[in-house]
């Protein structure tokens, strides 16, 4: 599917997720589906949780036991191909990369969209993280219903809302 539309199938997406039990703690989900010469996810992780071998074209592999969900790889990935996800009390808490301005505000309701760019739900912004070291890629923390765990990928901010 990704070859024709640029959108991965649900099966492809699910392959990148760990068990829901593992997702009780925040974990990085890497959706880097193509072999490309890139490795900032590997070099930026302070916990050595992302592995790319000597051949830099090989797709990154994550060790969920080592990942703390800190989000550093999320803002270091130039392809915006990583998010952090946690499932807690019927909600998903996501940390997504965001490079548009103006940034959303804490407690703002935003549209949550799927990998095809379609609105699937609303979510609430819980935190907006942007420091010097993030090189202008903000981390937006979003909370929404758990049922969208495999569909939600990013947000659409309607300014003035
Ligand atoms: S979220 Fe943090 S610990 Fe997990 S892979 Fe990314 S940088 Fe490493
Ligand atoms: S930094 Fe992002 S685009 Fe580059 S290999 Fe890692 S996940 Fe893929």
């Amino acid at each position: 599917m990704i070859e024709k539309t640029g959108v991965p199938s649900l099966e492809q997406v699910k392959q990148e997720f760990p068990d829901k039990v593992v997702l009780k703690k925040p974990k990085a989900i890497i959706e880097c589906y193509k072999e490309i010469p890139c490795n900032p996810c590997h070099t930026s992780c302070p916990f050595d949780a992302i592995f790319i071998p000597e051949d830099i074209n090989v797709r990154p592999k994550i060790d969920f036991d080592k990942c703390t969900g800190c989000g550093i790889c999320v803002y270091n990935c130039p392809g915006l191909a990583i998010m952090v996800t946690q499932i807690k009390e019927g909600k998903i808490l996501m940390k997504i990369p965001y490079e548009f301005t103006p940034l959303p505000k804490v407690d703002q309701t935003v549209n949550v969209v799927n990998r095809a760019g379609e609105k699937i739900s609303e979510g609430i912004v819980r935190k907006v993280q942007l420091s010097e070291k993030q090189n202008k890629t903000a981390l937006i923390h979003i909370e929404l219903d758990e049922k969208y765990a495999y569909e939600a990928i990013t947000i659409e901010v309607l300014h003035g809302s």
Side-chain angles (χ1 to χ4, degrees), residues 79-148:
L80 307 184
I82 310 177
M83 65 178 169
V84 168
T85 296
Q86 178 179 17
I87 298 182
K88 207 175 169 182
E89 294 162 5
K91 303 276 182 197
I92 335 168
L93 301 171
M94 302 168 68
K95 296 180 197 175
I96 60 159
Y98 193 80
E99 294 185 336
F100 294 103
T101 56
L103 294 172
K105 294 185 173 58
V106 173
D107 291 335
Q108 186 173 350
T109 298
V110 291
N111 289 339
V112 178
V113 302
N114 64 15
R115 288 163 183 77
E118 299 155 344
K119 180 187 170 184
I120 51 169
S121 173
E122 289 187 339
I124 299 172
V125 176
R126 291 299 180 205
K127 190 171 173 183
V128 176
Q129 215 179 315
L130 183 61
S131 66
E132 283 282 301
K133 64 182 180 192
Q134 287 176 231
N135 195 22
K136 299 187 180 167
T137 302
L139 273 190
I140 310 296
H141 300 223
I142 309 289
E143 183 182 295
L144 69 155
D145 195 293
E146 177 187 344
K147 69 182 177 192
Y148 300 108

Side-chain angles (χ1 to χ4, degrees), residues 30-32 34 36-42 50 52 56 58-60 73 76-82:
I30 305 177
E31 290 193 64
C32 188
K34 292 290 180 182
I36 50 169
C38 183
N39 72 356
C41 52
H42 166 61
I50 300 179
I52 293 178
I56 195 175
V58 173
R59 293 176 58 207
C73 59
N76 276 287
C77 168
L80 307 184
I82 310 177

Side-chain angles (χ1 to χ4, degrees), residues 13-14 16 20 36 47 64 70 82 87 115 124 141:
V13 171
K14 283 186 172 175
E16 307 306 327
K20 284 200 171 173
I36 50 169
F47 302 97
F64 290 114
C70 67
I82 310 177
I87 298 182
R115 288 163 183 77
I124 299 172
H141 300 223

Side-chain angles (χ1 to χ4, degrees), residues 18-29:
D19 248 41
K20 284 200 171 173
V21 177
V22 176
L23 284 178
K24 285 185 177 174
K25 293 191 172 161
K27 299 293 171 188
I29 309 297

